[in-house]
Amino acid sequence: MIQEFKDFIAKGNVMDMAVGIIIGAAFTAIVTSLVGDIINPIIALFTGGIDFSGWFYVLGDGEYSSIEAATEAGAPVFAVGKFIMAVINFLIVAWVVFLLVKMVNRVKAAAEAPDDVAPEVESGPSELDVLLEIRDALKREGS
């Protein structure tokens, strides 16, 4: 049983998956920063200073200045801005993953394609063609 487990762990797919998860976690931090620090200010610039991350509705009584204040007070909050930011994060990650998969597929296809495709060489007539030609020539001479 232990040996089976070692064999399973040593397989390339498990290691590839582990590396993918680690890189994905690091990539998530980059995308979160991209959205929060670059895209949000650009959106705020075009929407007249609206910051999506602070957009929320309190589903109970009371008014709160921020999502944090509302959640600290125990009020139910409908955090529209956080949801929008999550959707933007997802779209960016999905787009980058699409581009990476497209690039990897292109590299794989180039690696699998034969390097030198032999050009078609025009060969002369086949043996049968030559024999038929000889037969026809002998018939013409004999007639």
Side-chain angles (χ1 to χ4, degrees):
M1 182 96 125
I2 298 292
Q3 185 59 38
E4 280 182 87
F5 181 70
K6 286 180 184 178
D7 292 341
F8 171 74
I9 293 298
K11 285 186 180 175
N13 292 342
V14 173
M15 296 310 242
D16 291 345
M17 184 179 68
V19 169
I21 290 171
I22 292 167
I23 296 293
F27 188 68
T28 300
I30 292 171
V31 171
T32 301
S33 175
L34 174 70
V35 171
D37 300 332
I38 295 174
I39 293 177
N40 274 354
I42 292 171
I43 292 172
L45 181 69
F46 287 111
T47 59
I50 296 174
D51 179 18
F52 283 116
S53 60
W55 186 11
F56 70 99
Y57 296 105
V58 177
L59 300 177
D61 293 332
E63 289 191 24
Y64 303 94
S65 60
S66 66
I67 295 175
E68 292 80 19
T71 53
E72 242 179 62
V77 176
F78 185 64
V80 177
K82 285 186 178 183
F83 176 73
I84 290 173
M85 297 320 307
V87 169
I88 292 172
N89 283 347
F90 169 77
L91 292 174
I92 291 171
V93 170
W95 178 253
V96 171
V97 168
F98 166 74
L99 293 177
L100 288 174
V101 168
K102 189 174 178 179
M103 182 184 69
V104 167
N105 287 342
R106 189 177 301 142
V107 169
K108 274 186 181 179
E112 291 172 358
D115 290 335
D116 295 320
V117 176
E120 269 191 45
V121 178
E122 289 218 17
S123 60
S126 68
E127 186 178 341
L128 179 62
D129 292 336
V130 172
L131 289 173
L132 291 173
E133 192 175 313
I134 292 171
R135 181 196 69 189
D136 293 342
L138 287 174
K139 280 185 182 178
R140 281 185 296 223
E141 286 180 15
S143 8

